[in-house]
Every structure is written in structure tokens, then in C-alpha cells.
Amino acid sequence: MRRNELSEILKDRVLILDGAYGTELMRRGFKESPEEIVLSHPEAIKKLHEEYVNAGSNAILTSTFGANPIKLSKIGLESYHEKIVRDAVRIAKSISKDVLIFGDIGPTGDLPYPLGERTFDEYYDNFQKTASILIEEGVDAIILETFTDILELKAAYMAVRDISKDIFLIAHLTFEKNGRTLTGTDPVNFAITFDDLDVDAIGMNCSLGPEEMLPIFEELSKYTHKLLTVEPDAGAPILKGEKVEYPVTPEEFAIHMDSYWEAGANIIGSCCGSNPLHTRKISTVVGKRGPVDRESKKIFAISGPSSVVNFDKFVVIGERLNPAGKKRLSQAIKDEDVNYLIDQARDQVDHGAHALDVNFGVEQTVSRNFMSKSVAALSYKVNVPLSLDIQTYDFLEFVMKRYPGRPLINSARAVEEEFVKRASLVKKYGGILITLSMGERVPESFEERKKSIEYALEMAERIGLTRDRLIFDPIVLAIGAGSDARETLKTIKYLDSVGLKSVFGLSNISFGMPDRSYINGAFLAMSILNGLSSAIMNPIDEIVMGNMKASLLLTKRSQIEIEKIQGTDELLNFVLTGAEDKLMKAVDDLISVEDPVSIIENHLKPVMDRVGDLYGSGKIFLPQLILAAQTAQKAFEKVQKLIPSGSETGKFVIATVKGDVHDIGKNIVATIVKSAGYRVIDLGRDVPSERIIETVEKENPVMVGLSAMMTTTAPRIKEVVDGMKKKHLNVPVIAGGASLNETLAKDLGADFYAKSATDAIKYLKMVIRT
């Protein structure tokens, strides 16, 4: 089926997608993954397909969720990749009934740099291999589901769309109860980022039951103009006897689906714990309905992985990541010193920048790899969106493709070839384009600027880029060279009067003049009075920032407020900001007056406790948590070397249980615990219960951490706990993973449940004190 044909169907009716495969096959006695079952018991996959279709599914998923090369390599099946994907599609297509086949692609289970080691290109190549086979085999659509990071999802989207412009494409993120993904993306961010892209539908699945997922889905529906899809779990799993079950009955599930239909869902299915009975009830409730009409909000905003900046309030864009006139920054770029860039970026954010302008200077001397790494590190670690000031077209495209969010692009003149090339990149990869109010020559008058603005709007309309994807630079020229600043002010006022946003480079006004701060501050105040939306400026200049704040107050325009996650403890601030040099100096000062154990117990551990509290309360997200842990870990290592042998603070054994190859959560916990001063013994993933028990017996740890991502492997936790009891190993067990909740973890015999990565520190502290 062609893409436009499926789109037409969805204008008239809501489609019913099938339900779970992994948990349902497990309930039927299978212990392997669905991808393995495709090879060993294809008839079981076909039978389940048929049951879902008979229950009312209009579309079924191929059993290829984990069938990407990276994921398959973790269970030794990479060489079977092509066979699994082809066979899975053919099994689905062998159903005699008239049903749509959706090719299913799930994530790799690995985090991107700088949170992990995966690069955009590794993701892209991995997903393209699977997508190309699915499309060759003739699926009707492709669904990207259960992704937890927006960059990995973007890579999967690009991989599919570069193969086929004609395949119907659905993109999903998986949200936690706090309304954010693992790496901090919220539904608004997801909406504005993927509304720019050439996907047909967006939505969410997994991790949450229908009641918990609904408010997150409703938030997404308010801000996206795409079609909507949804697949909640059948509630949180519980242990009944020796079996893991899901509590939401088909009847209860179907009642909730009525609310999803009202919120605008076009395709409705179910995820973990569901079965054909759930599908039958869903079909009964919403299967005959047409979609509801909905109006979505448009917001003028840019974003990074865990931040959204809305231009309805005045936006400060930090200018200091530009090597012009900055020898130290130029040298850092030459040396490919990403950490120096991060330090400079964070300093600007600490002084009030809401976004950062990134310029690499002489781009031909800078490697693409460094550009990509710098943009990724700044995006994830500094937690503000970026303005990409990259002039070379090929370099700009390279970075835009890999940007984890919705960027600002700086900039294009209103000259046809230049504007169309850059606007086309914005249209393809997403973002907002800064458009200069000038053509071939630098304009002196407001009238010249106005003509350029009108021409740019005409060109944008011609290529299908809407005006809410443009922000105009009214052109600031140096008054020291005789330019008239009032022409810029007229342009700002005009842009505001016709509903267009504006941004300029403030420092240009005072170039070559003395007392630049005063000139910059005064001109910014005048510009704000005339309706300026944002400025690329120096947030560290107190005079300029003071003028800005006063001007916004007097004009009754509020500014974006960014909560500073800082405290009175300077060690905490150093850890949160990744200021490694300052932290190590502070530790050196402590070493001169306190013994090492005291430094750990009274200074470093309390800092990590506070970091854990901030993460648990949603004030920082995973990227900032990992940065804090990596920074603190170096301080712990330094101090621990001074502690006499035999005085270590304690061991922590951690493993992902047998049959489970997912280790994102396990790796994060290991990093956090190590950063709190414990010796971590990480056994890896897919670890036999016997090996875990043997290690506990040998190492005598303070606690054991067990991770189970899949419902099928959760019972292994009980296997380990029971095995430890038989050997009289009285060591507390903390369990975590997407398949678990507190009730299930306790039913499986764990002493503690890790809801978040920082819970391990909290419980370790509790155990040691008792």
C-alpha cells in the first residue's frame, strides 16, 4: 500500500493495531525472544498474528522489534539478521485475511555519545539494514517504537526515509511517569521536533498503563499536527505464583481507549501484557469510529534533548562560542578540546543564556567528527538548545542531520540560491532559520530591509517552508562606521507589527567603539521597546544583562526563567556543572586538612546524595546525572588511593540477569554507584544466576543489583534470590528495570526496588547505617 493511500484511510477511520508478542508468547510457554521464535517456531508467530486479526486488528506488527544487527549481536544472532526480517514479514503476509503489515523496528538498547558510545552513524547504518529488507519485502508501513532517546529515533527516521519517500512512517517515544523519556525529552519537545520531519504519525508505547499514559498522550496531541498512534501496556506487571501477569483486564483497557480516541488517536493498539482479548475489546469500543477533529497549538520554539525554549518570551542566545578574537577558544577547537567548549557554554548558561550560538571559525580546518561530538556534548551536557552558526553548506547539513532536537540555524541572506539551499535543509532536517534582512548588499535603510524580508517570505512560501519556521535578523551595523541604528529599530518594529520574530547579533552595534557595554546595553533596551524577540549577546556582561532585565520589566515582557540547580555547597556546584578542575582543587584543599575517609563520608557522599535527590525530583535529567557522576567519580578515585588497603567503603555487585541483553539501566546504576565511592563489580549482561551467586559468595558485597528489562527475564531475579538463600548469603538485593515495579520486585524476593538510577545510593546508605 502506498503512503498516501494509508493516509486517506486514516482520514475516515481509526485503525486497530495488534497487541503484545513477547509477553504473550512467554505466557504460552516460550522462553526465547520473538525474533528467535521466528526461526524456531514460525507457526507460533503465525497463529498469534491470526488471533489478533480475528480479534479485530486492522494492522499487525512483524516480529522484528529486536531484529536490528546491533541488538541481534547481543544474543549471537547477527548473522541471521536478514533471514529473521524476511521470514517475519513473510509469516505476517501469509495471513489470508485482509490486513495491513507494519514493519516493526525497535531501539538498539545503547545510549548515544556522550551518555554512551553509540554515534548517529552507527544507529543510522544499523536501522537502514533492517528498514531496507522490510521495504523490499513489501510492508505497508514502518513503525519505530519504544525509543527512549530522541537522537536515536531521529537516526532511525532518517535511515527509513532515505530508503523510501513513499513508505508510511510512524515514530514513537516511550515516556516514564514523569512525562519524560529516559534522556529527558517531554511530549512538547517531541511534537515540535518531529512535526518538522517527514513522518506520517507520531505517538508512544510501552512502560505505562492506559491510565498513566493518557495525560502524556493528551499533552502530545495538543502540540502535534501529525496523525497519532498509541499502545499502552496492560498495567504494571505483578507476580502470581510463579508467573508474571498484567492487571488491566481487556474490559478495563477498552474503556480507557475511549479517552485516547477523544484525544485524537488515529491508530490504537496495546503493548506489554496485552493479548487478543484486549484487541477484541478495543475493536468493539473504537473499531468502527472515525477520527476526531482536533486543533493543535503552534509554538515558536527550539529544543535540545531535554529542554525547550519558547520565543514568546525574550530569549538570550549566548555569543561566546565563537573563536573570533578568542585565542584560547581557537586553540581549544584546534586541539579538539570538547571539555573547554562545555566549560565556556556552561558559564554562559549560569549567567542567563537560554540557548547558545555555536561557531567553529575557519570550518575547513575543523573535522566533521569534532563538530558532531561538540554539538552532541553541548546538547546533552549543558541542557540548552543550540543555534548552529555554520557557514559551509555540507558541514551544516552534516551537523543538522545529527542534532538531537530542533535547532536554530544561523543564517541565510535573502538571496535566492543561498536562501533556498539553507531553507531546504531546515525543511528536511527540522529547525528555525535566521533570515538576514538583506540581499547581495548590506542595507542602509529600513526600506531595503523590508524588501528583503518580503522577498524571503515569498521564497519560503514557494518551497513550502511556513513563516513560523523563520526568524528575521534586522541587521545591526557598527555605529562607529557611520551606520544609523534607528534603521534597525524601524525594522524591528515592522517585524513585530506583522507578527514575525526577530533576533540580532548585539555586539555588532559597538564594534570599534570604547565603552562597548554601555552602548550595547542602551541599544538592547531600545530594541526591546520596539519588539525585539531575542538577541545573540554576551550574558556574562552585567551591564548589558542589567539593561535587558530592566527593559523587560518596564515593557511588561517576561523573560524565560531558567532554574539554577545550585546550592551553597561549592562541591555540589562543581559536580553539577562538570567543573572537574575546580572540584579536584577543592579536594586537594580538603586533603591537606582532613583524612581521606572523612572527605568521602562528610563531603563527597553527601554531594552525590544531593545529586540523587535532584534527579529523583525531576530537577535534573539523565544527561546531567551522568555528567555529575563522571565528575564526582574522579574525585572519589583520587581520595580512595590515599585510604589504606582494607579500608574500602564497600563492594557492589551488579548484573543483568540471564536471557536479558539490555544494559542501559544497569550501566547507569553502575556509574552512579561508582561515583559514590563504592567498588563496583559489574558482571555485564545475560549473566547466569550461578555466576552471580558465586560472585556474591566470593566478594561479600554490601549489596547486589539485578536488572531485568524484559518481563520474560524478571523471574530470574527470584532464581538468584532463592539461590543466595540456599547458600545462606545474607546480602540485600536491589532490583530494577523496565519490566519491574515495587510490588513485583518485592514479590520476586528483592529487598529494594530501584525506580531510578539514584535509588541504589539511597538504599546502600540505608544498609550500611543499619
Side-chain angles (χ1 to χ4, degrees):
M1 177 174 289
R2 298 181 69 86
R3 179 181 183 185
N4 61 333
E5 293 175 313
L6 184 47
S7 296
E8 286 299 313
I9 290 172
L10 289 167
K11 288 180 182 179
D12 297 326
R13 60 181 297 193
V14 171
L15 289 184
I16 307 302
L17 190 58
D18 58 12
Y21 282 83
T23 55
E24 181 58 13
L25 288 166
M26 180 190 74
R27 192 178 71 83
R28 298 180 181 199
F30 291 94
K31 294 184 178 179
E32 310 97 319
S33 69
E35 293 75 29
E36 292 172 281
I37 297 170
V38 166
L39 297 176
S40 61
H41 295 87
E43 72 285 351
I45 301 289
K46 181 176 180 179
K47 183 175 186 296
L48 188 50
H49 281 324
E50 289 175 335
E51 289 181 30
Y52 276 122
V53 173
N54 291 333
S57 293
N58 311 119
I60 56 174
L61 300 174
T62 57
S63 291
T64 52
F65 172 76
N68 61 73
I70 290 175
K71 197 76 172 283
L72 289 174
S73 69
K74 297 173 183 178
I75 54 175
L77 289 178
E78 186 178 4
S79 61
Y80 290 91
H81 169 249
E82 182 173 348
K83 178 172 176 54
I84 290 171
V85 178
R86 291 195 189 280
D87 285 359
V89 179
R90 291 169 184 175
I91 292 168
K93 293 180 81 171
S94 70
I95 305 299
S96 59
K97 304 286 180 69
D98 183 21
V99 63
L100 296 167
I101 310 297
F102 285 10
D104 193 9
I105 297 178
T108 61
D110 296 337
L111 288 172
Y113 172 85
L115 307 180
E117 298 300 323
R118 288 292 174 197
T119 65
F120 177 93
D121 298 279
E122 287 174 325
Y123 285 140
Y124 179 92
D125 292 343
N126 173 73
F127 294 125
Q128 196 163 67
K129 289 173 183 174
T130 300
S132 62
I133 300 170
L134 290 171
I135 291 169
E136 280 176 19
E137 289 294 327
V139 296
D140 298 296
I142 286 180
I143 182 168
L144 312 170
E145 60 175 359
T146 325
F147 282 72
T148 59
D149 177 77
I150 201 161
L151 181 63
E152 186 180 11
L153 181 60
K154 187 175 181 181
Y157 152 75
M158 292 288 179
V160 175
R161 196 48 87 212
D162 284 352
I163 294 171
S164 172
K165 299 292 186 291
D166 195 42
I167 191 75
F168 190 94
L169 182 55
I170 303 166
H172 277 196
L173 283 176
T174 292
F175 294 88
E176 299 178 3
K177 281 186 180 180
N178 64 0
R180 296 206 177 236
T181 67
L182 179 66
T183 54
T185 301
D186 66 18
V188 177
N189 191 344
F190 182 29
I192 65 171
T193 300
F194 271 76
D195 262 22
D196 285 356
L197 304 179
D198 190 23
V199 293
D200 298 284
I202 66 174
M204 58 190 68
N205 72 290
C206 206
S207 289
L208 299 175
E211 188 172 355
E212 295 83 10
M213 189 180 286
L214 182 60
I216 304 170
F217 182 81
E218 289 174 331
E219 185 75 358
L220 179 65
S221 72
K222 290 177 187 176
Y223 292 97
T224 183
H225 300 83
K226 303 289 186 180
L227 296 170
L228 287 166
T229 65
V230 67
E231 305 166 77
D233 285 349
I238 56 176
L239 187 67
K240 283 194 175 180
E242 295 296 316
K243 293 184 177 180
V244 176
E245 296 185 1
Y246 286 75
V248 180
T249 66
E251 293 77 12
E252 292 168 336
F253 197 99
I255 290 170
H256 287 294
M257 291 306 100
D258 193 58
S259 298
Y260 284 93
W261 172 76
E262 289 180 354
N266 302 94
I267 301 174
I268 297 175
S270 53
C271 205
C272 298
S274 66
N275 58 53
L277 294 177
H278 289 80
T279 300
R280 186 175 301 281
K281 290 296 181 181
I282 296 168
S283 180
T284 301
V285 172
V286 298
K288 306 296 182 183
R289 297 181 184 178
V292 299
D293 293 327
R294 60 187 174 89
E295 290 186 10
S296 300
K297 299 177 183 178
K298 278 203 170 189
I299 59 172
F300 198 101
I302 55 176
S303 69
S306 57
S307 59
V308 175
V309 170
N310 191 333
F311 281 73
D312 284 345
K313 296 180 180 179
F314 191 81
V315 176
V316 175
I317 303 169
E319 70 177 12
R320 294 180 60 80
L321 286 179
N322 185 329
K326 301 183 184 71
K327 290 184 179 180
R328 180 65 185 88
L329 180 58
S330 296
Q331 188 63 44
I333 292 173
K334 183 179 179 181
D335 296 341
E336 300 196 348
D337 185 352
V338 175
N339 289 331
Y340 183 79
L341 269 65
I342 291 171
D343 288 342
Q344 296 302 300
R346 190 167 289 109
D347 195 23
Q348 294 184 81
V349 173
D350 288 344
H351 283 85
H354 311 117
L356 298 169
D357 193 56
V358 181
N359 183 302
F360 292 100
V362 183
E363 294 163 358
Q364 286 70 23
T365 66
V366 182
S367 72
R368 292 188 179 205
N369 181 58
F370 177 66
M371 286 187 181
S372 179
K373 285 185 71 174
S374 297
V375 167
L378 289 166
S379 298
Y380 281 100
K381 289 190 173 185
V382 185
N383 195 30
V384 294
L386 302 182
S387 166
L388 302 177
D389 190 359
I390 300 173
Q391 299 309 307
T392 309
Y393 179 85
D394 290 344
F395 285 166
L396 177 61
E397 181 172 27
F398 179 84
V399 173
M400 286 180 70
K401 189 173 185 179
R402 291 157 179 79
Y403 182 77
R406 192 189 203 208
L408 191 62
I409 305 303
N410 186 10
S411 55
R413 295 177 301 166
V415 175
E416 184 160 5
E417 182 179 359
E418 178 181 327
F419 179 86
V420 169
K421 283 183 75 173
R422 288 188 169 248
S424 297
L425 286 183
V426 169
K427 187 177 178 184
K428 181 176 182 179
Y429 297 112
I432 293 174
L433 177 63
I434 297 177
T435 305
L436 302 173
S437 303
M438 62 178 288
E440 296 282 3
R441 59 187 295 275
V442 178
E444 291 294 333
S445 70
F446 159 64
E447 289 301 329
E448 290 177 278
R449 290 168 165 91
K450 183 181 176 184
K451 286 180 182 177
S452 294
I453 292 166
E454 291 170 345
Y455 184 46
L457 289 171
E458 288 176 14
M459 288 189 288
E461 185 176 2
R462 198 162 65 234
I463 67 169
L465 189 71
T466 55
R467 59 189 282 156
D468 61 353
R469 305 284 299 281
L470 304 174
I471 183 169
F472 285 88
D473 185 336
I475 306 298
V476 175
L477 302 174
I479 57 170
S483 296
D484 189 344
R486 292 172 295 182
E487 298 302 304
T488 300
L489 296 175
K490 289 178 187 175
T491 310
I492 294 169
K493 191 167 187 176
Y494 165 72
L495 289 166
D496 187 54
S497 71
V498 296
L500 295 170
K501 302 290 185 185
S502 55
V503 62
F504 62 34
L506 175 61
S507 298
N508 293 340
I509 194 71
S510 63
F511 185 77
M513 298 289 287
D515 299 321
R516 295 189 67 183
S517 292
Y518 293 105
I519 296 170
N520 291 347
F523 185 62
L524 180 60
M526 294 177 186
S527 300
I528 288 172
L529 179 62
N530 281 278
L532 184 71
S533 307
S534 58
I536 300 172
M537 55 188 278
N538 180 9
I540 300 173
D541 190 323
E542 293 181 2
I543 293 172
V544 173
M545 291 295 282
N547 273 274
M548 179 197 72
K549 291 173 183 176
S551 300
L552 293 170
L553 178 66
L554 291 168
T555 55
K556 295 189 175 181
R557 292 176 62 189
S558 56
Q559 184 192 12
I560 296 170
E561 292 298 329
I562 292 183
E563 182 181 2
K564 298 296 187 299
I565 308 301
Q566 293 185 331
T568 55
D569 185 343
E570 69 172 10
L571 292 184
L572 174 62
N573 295 337
F574 296 157
V575 167
L576 286 171
T577 59
E580 184 183 327
D581 292 343
K582 293 178 181 178
L583 176 64
M584 300 306 273
K585 183 180 183 306
V587 168
D588 285 337
D589 291 342
L590 287 170
I591 289 171
S592 67
V593 294
E594 292 188 42
D595 67 86
V597 174
S598 173
I599 293 170
I600 288 175
E601 295 300 327
N602 298 325
H603 298 282
L604 297 180
K605 280 190 175 181
V607 163
M608 288 311 295
D609 288 343
R610 177 66 179 135
V611 169
D613 292 341
L614 290 170
Y615 180 72
S617 63
K619 291 184 177 179
I620 62 172
F621 304 107
L622 183 64
Q624 296 80 49
L625 174 67
I626 290 179
L627 173 66
Q630 291 170 343
T631 306
Q633 185 178 324
K634 292 173 182 176
F636 273 106
E637 289 170 353
K638 182 182 183 74
V639 177
Q640 284 172 332
K641 288 178 181 177
L642 304 175
I643 300 175
S645 60
S647 304
E648 60 187 11
T649 57
K651 300 174 185 176
F652 180 76
V653 171
I654 189 168
T656 300
V657 297
K658 178 66 178 174
D660 201 322
V661 297
H662 301 85
D663 60 359
I664 286 181
K666 185 265 296 175
N667 291 343
I668 294 168
V669 171
T671 299
I672 302 306
V673 172
K674 194 178 293 184
S675 75
Y678 295 88
R679 182 185 160 202
V680 174
I681 301 165
D682 187 345
L683 299 178
R685 62 188 180 220
D686 192 19
V687 183
S689 301
E690 299 79 20
R691 186 183 168 206
I692 298 172
I693 296 165
E694 287 170 6
T695 304
V696 173
E697 188 173 27
K698 176 184 175 183
E699 299 291 346
N700 189 29
V702 176
M703 184 178 285
V704 179
L706 300 177
S707 175
M709 178 76 173
M710 303 183 297
T711 307
T712 52
T713 59
R716 294 286 188 181
I717 293 171
K718 191 172 189 306
E719 188 173 282
V720 173
V721 171
D722 290 346
M724 287 171 56
K725 286 179 180 177
K726 285 181 182 178
K727 291 205 168 190
H728 306 289
L729 299 173
N730 189 27
V731 179
V733 172
I734 182 170
S739 67
L740 300 180
N741 53 62
E742 186 162 11
T743 301
L744 180 56
K746 294 291 178 68
D747 287 345
L748 291 169
D751 299 278
F752 305 103
Y753 164 61
K755 181 181 178 183
S756 70
T758 57
D759 282 347
I761 298 176
K762 178 174 67 177
Y763 293 126
L764 274 165
K765 190 174 180 181
M766 184 187 304
V767 167
I768 289 174
R769 282 183 175 175
T770 55

